[in-house]
């Protein structure tokens, strides 16, 4: 396989935000909550069961810094109700530092802390490892571990995942004022009340113009109600993918999310039965971006792909990369409608291949999981409130364990066979096009962008002028061809108006497959640094 060679002035940049101390995966944080009320547990339980978002005031200390009068409540659905029903004390928490003081935040600028109780994950690594992998390809929360104390009593080791909020949106999209939805149904049964039987959770199906049909399944987090119109317009455009949809939806980011969910068997997501656990944010350019969320049941922790029975271990290992698409499932338009477009389908397959190569070749994921377990081992052993045994903590990294009356497949047991299955798929194992050389050259009034590839049908250029723009797709013109050691090579070219900030990536497409440059595009991209007229932004 040829090595991609970056040429002078062609640099790869990434959206990845700088790591923050509060979510440093190499450091176990300490949080202490102090309540004045002796019956604080009963109060929080009552607020949660009444469906209220009200909070109980408590003082919070994060490592060495104190935050008085914060708002605390329980969070989660299954992770709360199932744990509470079993009379376990280790329940998940949501801590709002700004509850009584709007200016109160951590030194890094975080205002809300979300602590998960490692529900349905005896290995303790599913959430942290999954977010770490996801951040290689798309905007995703940082995640690490916290020792939680309540009224000076050790409450256990928790996952701490960065909230998808205004700070997160500004980091990745440069603004936070756009339409913002949490795609997790507030009321699963309400569709019938609004006569919207065709609705199917947060699937982005178009079910008419009645806003009530959408309010049941999406929670508008931004202030302006016009966001509902933009969401309905998106569901309409999704019925017929094309140029208009590309302006309204970050399709590449969707394809990365779908590829991630499929490879890692993350079925507690858009892909699975419940069709939830993601956000949608509309940036200044008018384009919606999906943001993945809640990965504690990744790696096979949730066994339902659809309304049928739960999947066996073997069925989890061999879920088709084209599940829902093969069945033409109209209730999953992000999958069925997008993958019906040949170019999108090829990009999706390329993304699957990249994830497999990066994390599931040579036991890369397993080595990382072992390292995380080693770091937290003593804290897990000390956690007398943990939901599963210390023996299961070690065992579940490799093999299936029983949790109550159900089973939790081992991460390695799942992923070793899953990776082997996917790598044998005809479209994934098929040799893809290659980029031999990419470069750009500054002209008087234009930037000439060129690529040399193996013999292909089409080379596409995706470009934008800065973070406030979206990536536009144009077909590059073939600019000659030649033979190199008996292999035909194609030259491609496209000229763009010269501006200070230009970011771009390529997709090379043949009849069955595609390749990207950079391969993690559009999370990573090439950037123009002008010899005259200044330097473009970094893309971070």
């Amino acid at each position: 396989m040829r090595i991609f060679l970056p040429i002078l002035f062609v640099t790869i940049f990434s959206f990845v935000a700088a790591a923050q101390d509060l979510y440093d995966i190499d450091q176990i944080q300490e949080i202490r909550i102090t309540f004045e009320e002796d019956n604080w547990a009963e109060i929080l339980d009552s607020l949660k069961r009444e469906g209220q978002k009200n909070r109980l005031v408590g003082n919070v200390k994060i490592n060495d810094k104190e935050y008085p009068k914060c708002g605390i409540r329980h969070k989660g659905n299954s992770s709360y109700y199932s744990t509470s029903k079993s009379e376990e004390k280790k329940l998940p928490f949501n801590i709002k530092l700004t509850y009584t003081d709007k200016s109160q935040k951590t030194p890094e600028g975080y205002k809300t802390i979300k602590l998960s109780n490692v529900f349905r994950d005896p290995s303790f690594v599913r959430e942290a490892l999954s977010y770490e992998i996801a951040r290689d390809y798309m905007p995703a929360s940082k995640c690490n571990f916290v020792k939680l104390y309540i009224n000076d009593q050790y409450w256990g080791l928790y996952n701490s995942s960065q909230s998808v909020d205004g700070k997160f949106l500004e980091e990745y999209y440069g603004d936070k004022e756009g339409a913002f939805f949490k795609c997790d149904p507030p009321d699963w049964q309400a569709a019938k009340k609004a006569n919207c039987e065709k609705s199917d959770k947060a699937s982005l199906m178009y079910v008419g113009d009645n806003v009530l049909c959408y309010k049941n399944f999406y929670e508008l987090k931004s202030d302006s109600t016009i966001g509902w119109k933009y969401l309905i317009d998106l569901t309409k455009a999704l019925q017929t993918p094309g140029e208009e949809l590309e302006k309204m939806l970050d399709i590449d980011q969707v394809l990365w999310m779908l590829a991630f969910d499929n490879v890692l068997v993350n079925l507690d997501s858009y892909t699975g039965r419940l069709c939830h656990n993601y956000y949608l944010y509309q940036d200044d350019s008018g384009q919606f971006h999906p943001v993945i969320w809640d990965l504690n049941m990744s790696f096979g922790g949730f066994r339902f792909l659809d309304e049928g029975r739960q999947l066996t271990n073997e069925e989890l290992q061999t879920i088709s990369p084209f599940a829902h698409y093969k069945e033409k499932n109209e209730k999953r338009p992000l999958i069925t409608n997008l993958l019906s477009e040949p170019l999108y389908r090829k990009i999706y397959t390329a993304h699957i291949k990249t994830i497999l190569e990066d994390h599931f070749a040579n036991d890369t994921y397993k080595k990382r999981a072992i390292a995380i377990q080693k770091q937290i081992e003593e804290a897990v052993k000390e956690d007398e409130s943990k939901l599963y045994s210390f023996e299961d903590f070690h065992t579940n990294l490799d093999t299936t364990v029983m949790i109550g009356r159900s089973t939790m497949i081992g991460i390695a047991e799942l992923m070793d066979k899953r990776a082997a299955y996917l790598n044998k798929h005809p479209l994934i194992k098929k040799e893809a096009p290659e980029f031999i050389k990419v470069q750009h050259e500054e002209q008087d009034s234009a930037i000439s962008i060129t690529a040399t590839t193996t013999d292909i049908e089409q080379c596409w250029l995706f470009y934008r002028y800065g973070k406030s723009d979206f990536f536009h797709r144009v077909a590059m013109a073939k600019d000659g061809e030649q033979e190199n050691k008996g292999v035909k090579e194609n030259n491609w070219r496209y000229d763009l108006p010269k501006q200070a900030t230009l970011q771009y990536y390529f997709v090379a497409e043949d009849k069955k497959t595609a390749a990207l440059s950079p391969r993690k595009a559009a999370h990573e991209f090439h950037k123009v640094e002008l010899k005259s007229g200044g330097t473009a932004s970094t893309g971070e």
Side-chain angles (χ1 to χ4, degrees), residues 152-385:
D152 292 326
Q153 182 181 355
Y154 183 43
W155 222 250
L157 186 69
Y158 281 72
N159 272 136
S160 178
S161 298
Q162 178 189 6
S163 178
V164 180
D165 56 14
K167 175 176 171 55
F168 179 98
L169 299 175
E170 283 188 310
E171 283 179 357
Y172 284 107
Y173 305 113
D175 65 83
K176 60 178 182 179
E177 305 302 324
F180 182 36
F181 290 91
K182 185 177 182 180
C183 302
D184 201 352
D187 186 348
W188 295 91
Q189 303 299 322
K192 296 177 182 177
K193 304 173 189 175
N195 195 29
C196 302
E197 290 85 355
K198 291 184 178 180
S199 298
D200 189 68
K201 310 176 184 70
S203 64
L204 294 180
M205 290 177 64
Y206 173 65
V207 290
D209 293 332
N210 182 356
V211 173
L212 292 177
C213 295
Y214 301 87
K215 284 186 174 180
N216 303 319
F217 298 129
Y218 309 87
E219 181 183 353
L220 181 62
K221 308 288 285 184
S222 46
D223 294 334
S224 176
T225 58
I226 198 172
W228 291 112
K229 177 187 181 303
Y230 298 141
L231 179 69
I232 294 171
D233 287 346
L234 174 64
T235 65
K236 287 181 183 177
L238 188 56
Q239 295 181 97
T240 54
E243 185 176 346
E244 191 61 29
L245 180 63
E246 290 185 6
K247 297 176 184 177
M248 300 173 66
L249 180 65
D250 186 343
I251 291 174
D252 184 72
Q253 195 168 316
V254 173
L255 297 176
W256 275 118
M257 183 179 76
L258 296 178
F260 172 92
D261 287 340
N262 187 279
V263 173
L264 274 68
V265 196
N266 179 39
L267 299 183
D268 192 26
S269 66
Y270 180 92
T271 300
R273 171 189 283 186
L274 301 181
C275 196
H276 67 154
N277 279 341
Y278 69 103
Y279 291 84
L280 277 176
Y281 179 67
Q282 186 183 44
D283 67 15
D284 270 351
S285 73
Q287 190 180 63
F288 273 105
H289 306 266
V291 180
I292 201 165
W293 177 246
D294 200 359
L295 302 180
N296 69 299
M297 287 199 279
S298 185
F299 293 114
F302 185 76
R303 290 177 176 263
F304 295 93
L305 180 63
D306 49 33
E307 298 302 321
R309 60 174 176 77
Q310 69 175 5
L311 302 180
T312 65
N313 283 4
E314 183 179 0
E315 288 168 333
L316 290 174
Q317 293 159 345
T318 58
I319 291 173
S320 168
F322 297 102
H324 294 303
Y325 169 69
K326 290 196 308 180
E327 297 80 15
K328 305 302 179 188
N329 183 358
E330 64 176 8
K331 293 183 178 181
R332 295 295 181 272
L334 274 184
I335 298 174
T336 302
N337 294 2
L338 290 186
L339 298 190
S340 68
E341 293 295 308
L343 177 60
Y344 302 158
R345 189 166 64 250
K346 295 169 190 176
I347 294 174
Y348 167 77
T349 305
H351 289 347
I352 287 178
K353 190 170 186 176
T354 295
I355 295 172
L356 289 171
E357 290 173 349
D358 288 349
H359 294 280
F360 299 98
N362 302 317
D363 285 340
T364 304
Y365 81 95
K366 195 183 303 183
K367 293 171 185 174
R368 186 64 188 127
I370 291 171
I372 295 173
Q373 279 203 334
K374 184 177 180 180
Q375 177 196 343
I376 64 174
E377 183 173 24
E378 287 304 314
V380 173
K381 184 184 295 185
E382 295 168 1
D383 182 358
E384 295 181 356
S385 302

